[in-house]
Amino acid sequence: MPSHVRAALGARMLDAIFDLLDLTLRVAFEPSQSAEIPALLKRCNQHVTFLRYLLRIALERRYFAEGQHTFAIEKLDEVGRVLGGWRRSLP
């Protein structure tokens, strides 16, 4: 696989991570009763799912070692659990 494909996948992963960070911060700074929070959390969840797919592609193409992939997936699962708890805590 050409190196530019690997670089493009890495760049896309970074974009998704920064988008997820941006959305998470927007949720954190919204007033607690804001009607936008559920939609923002849904978008956060979509980014987590998208990142899981990108990580799977990276593993299949052997851009990551198995241990690196496992570590990244565990951290992403933790983020997903936190977001899910946040959604369930909404009125």
Side-chain angles (χ1 to χ4, degrees), residues 44-87:
C44 286
N45 191 45
Q46 290 169 339
H47 281 286
V48 169
T49 302
F50 181 62
L51 280 164
R52 283 189 182 113
Y53 283 113
L54 292 178
L55 285 168
R56 187 175 306 137
I57 291 167
L59 179 66
E60 289 171 359
R61 296 188 181 266
R62 295 189 169 97
Y63 295 156
F64 283 124
E66 186 82 30
Q68 292 171 316
H69 177 265
T70 301
F71 177 81
I73 287 294
E74 286 172 357
K75 296 301 175 187
L76 200 52
D77 285 346
E78 185 177 338
V79 169
R81 282 192 301 274
V82 169
L83 292 171
W86 209 350
R87 281 184 82 179

